[in-house]
């Protein structure tokens, strides 16, 4: 198998100055909380996007993908182009580059393939031009690229996870101030596995749904007189719901209870009681399905089938309307749960994951 550097040479006729890699992520718990200044708990996947690059003196950014070929500043290429724009907008001395991209992060599976591409590109461009950026700042600029250039109003979680996660840990991130804790997440040592269930489906009903739910959460926060829904506690939930219109109540209920679930999962993992996390995953899925309305029939089937086959807990992960679910299982039950889900969904792909390393230079 040819290497990323060799593939770069084939495309551009010269060797790259370096190769940088950034992972996709699984969000263990904390969905749709990041744009509400809340708490999230992602970990990095072993699967990653690799970017080989060499500087250009003319300021031009040339882009080529193993999967998609040559790119213009739209479609997949808008993400790396947006990163170059965001770095330059921030006043950083980043010039032109020849860029070659290849990835084994599944696209459209809710595993942050876009953030992996953004972060790997940001590392490559800053590396080429000797720019030193703290990882949280690099993640912030990658998010700005997606928000302002690509036009996706995502929160900060995905880029921070890709940039900052550590192998064998899950990242407890406060998205308000970007303070973070690395919490040990060595499932194999506890006799557990985490399965990713890629349903291989994406429903068009999800188009624009992310933005509409974000707008609903922000409207509710304004109505309640708080900076963000993060500032509403679980104990206050019963009283504040009555102050809101019916359409906003389930959105608020999900965000507030989900923040509570993140904190409970963090405490359980810190105590080494990973098995007790399972029911909280399933509880979170019910909230995403019933209150936030971002699940779909295939994700619901995946979760119900996994739990029915012996999983300790399961939930959708990512933005929903397709994509992936995760299931926490006893190691001995891995095969049975995998078989049950595969048979139920037919087209799904199920694979076990461990907490991988965050973004770094690899050559």
């Amino acid at each position: 198998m040819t290497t990323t550097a060799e593939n770069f040479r084939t495309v551009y006729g010269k060797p790259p100055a370096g190769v940088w890699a950034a992972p996709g992520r699984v969000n263990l718990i904390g969905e749709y909380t990041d744009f509400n200044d809340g708490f999230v708990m992602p970990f990095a996947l072993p699967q990653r996007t690799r970017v080989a690059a060499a500087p250009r003196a003319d300021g031009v950014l040339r882009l080529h993908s193993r999967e998609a070929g040559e790119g213009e500043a739209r479609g997949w290429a808008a993400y790396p182009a947006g990163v170059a724009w965001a770095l330059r907008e921030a006043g950083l001395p980043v010039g032109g580059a020849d860029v070659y991209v290849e990835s084994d992060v599944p696209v459209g599976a809710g595993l942050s393939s876009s953030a992996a591409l953004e972060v790997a590109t940001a590392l490559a461009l800053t590396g080429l031009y000797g720019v030193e950026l703290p990882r949280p700042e690099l993640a912030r600029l990658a998010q700005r690229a997606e928000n302002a250039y690509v036009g996706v109003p995502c929160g900060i979680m995905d880029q921070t996870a890709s940039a900052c996660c550590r192998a064998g840990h899950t990242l407890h991130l406060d998205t308000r101030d970007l303070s973070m804790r690395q919490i040990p997440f060595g499932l194999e040592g506890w006799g557990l596995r985490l399965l990713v269930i890629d349903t291989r489906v994406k429903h068009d009903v999800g188009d624009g749904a992310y933005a509409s739910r974000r707008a609903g959460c922000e409207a509710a926060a304004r109505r309640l007189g708080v900076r963000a829904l993060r500032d509403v506690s679980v104990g206050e939930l019963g009283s504040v719901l009555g102050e809101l219109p019916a359409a906003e109540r389930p959105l608020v209920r999900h965000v507030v209870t989900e923040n509570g679930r993140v904190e409970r999962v963090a405490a359980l993992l810190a105590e080494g009681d990973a098995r007790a996390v399972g029911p909280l995953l399933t509880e979170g899925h019910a909230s995403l399905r019933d209150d936030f309305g971002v699940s779909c029939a295939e994700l619901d089937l995946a979760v119900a089938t996994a739990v029915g086959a012996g999983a300790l807990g399961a939930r959708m992960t990512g933005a929903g309307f397709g994509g992936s679910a995760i299931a926490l299982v006893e190691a001995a039950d891995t095969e049975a749960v995998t078989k049950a889900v595969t048979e139920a969904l037919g087209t799904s792909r199920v694979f076990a994951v461990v907490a991988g390393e965050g973004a770094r230079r690899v050559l």
Side-chain angles (χ1 to χ4, degrees):
M1 179 181 294
T2 57
T3 67
T4 306
E6 289 168 340
N7 290 336
F8 178 97
R9 183 190 289 269
T10 298
V11 171
Y12 292 112
K14 60 184 178 182
V19 179
W20 293 261
R25 65 95 188 97
V26 164
N27 191 23
L28 181 65
I29 193 77
E31 218 66 75
Y32 284 96
T33 51
D34 62 344
F35 58 68
N36 289 288
D37 282 3
F39 304 106
V40 295
M41 194 174 295
F43 64 88
L45 284 168
Q47 290 88 344
R48 54 194 55 240
T49 295
R50 293 168 295 281
V51 169
R56 292 177 61 95
D58 58 6
V60 171
L61 185 69
R62 282 204 299 176
L63 301 166
H64 190 97
S65 164
R66 179 185 65 184
E67 286 74 28
E70 192 169 354
E72 300 176 0
R74 60 178 185 271
W76 74 269
Y79 294 89
V83 168
W85 168 83
L87 293 171
R88 292 170 180 173
E89 185 203 38
L92 300 173
V94 171
D98 289 328
V99 174
Y100 173 82
V101 177
E102 58 185 34
S103 181
D104 55 9
V105 181
V107 175
L111 302 176
S112 285
S113 59
S114 60
L117 175 57
E118 291 158 3
V119 170
T121 302
L123 275 183
L125 293 177
T126 55
L128 289 180
Y129 288 95
V131 176
E132 295 288 339
L133 276 182
R135 288 304 179 86
E137 177 64 11
L138 184 142
R140 188 190 67 80
L141 290 172
Q143 179 205 17
R144 173 145 180 77
E146 188 157 346
N147 289 171
Y149 193 92
V150 181
V152 177
C154 65
I156 192 64
M157 175 183 67
D158 293 348
Q159 293 83 3
T160 304
S162 186
C164 300
C165 280
R166 295 181 188 167
H169 293 74
T170 184
L171 182 71
H172 180 276
L173 175 66
D174 182 335
T175 64
R176 169 164 285 173
D177 62 12
L178 297 189
S179 61
M180 56 188 78
R181 288 188 293 143
Q182 304 282 350
I183 299 177
F185 193 56
L187 291 179
E188 292 191 357
W190 295 325
L192 300 173
R193 298 288 185 275
L194 192 79
L195 303 180
V196 171
I197 305 163
D198 179 4
T199 65
R200 297 184 184 269
V201 300
K202 181 70 175 177
H203 292 290
D204 290 340
V205 69
D207 293 348
Y210 186 102
S212 69
R213 282 156 178 76
R214 179 167 187 163
C217 290
E218 291 171 347
R222 288 192 298 271
R223 205 180 306 275
L224 295 172
V226 295
R227 176 177 166 184
L229 293 183
R230 141 77 173 272
D231 297 309
V232 180
S233 70
V234 174
E236 295 171 322
L237 189 57
S239 61
V240 303
L241 290 181
E243 303 176 29
L244 298 171
E248 293 172 6
R249 292 173 195 163
L251 300 180
V252 173
R253 184 165 50 235
H254 167 72
V255 172
V256 173
T257 59
E258 184 79 346
N259 275 323
R261 280 185 286 273
V262 174
E263 297 304 88
R264 290 156 66 193
V265 169
L268 289 168
L269 290 179
E271 296 165 2
D273 191 7
R275 284 172 174 80
V277 168
L280 293 174
L281 301 183
T282 308
E283 181 184 302
H285 181 78
S287 181
L288 287 160
R289 179 192 65 210
D290 300 335
D291 278 341
F292 226 68
V294 292
S295 188
C296 65
E298 293 87 353
L299 287 168
D300 293 343
L301 179 59
V303 167
T305 302
V307 172
L312 298 169
R315 75 173 192 93
M316 57 158 276
T317 188
F321 303 104
S324 296
I326 56 174
L328 182 66
V329 303
E330 299 283 357
D333 294 334
T334 301
E335 185 176 344
V337 173
T338 298
K339 182 174 184 291
V341 170
T342 301
E343 290 179 350
L345 291 175
T347 60
S348 69
R349 173 176 53 169
V350 183
F351 54 97
V353 292
V354 296
E357 189 61 70
R360 66 189 190 278
R361 184 170 184 163
V362 295
L363 180 66

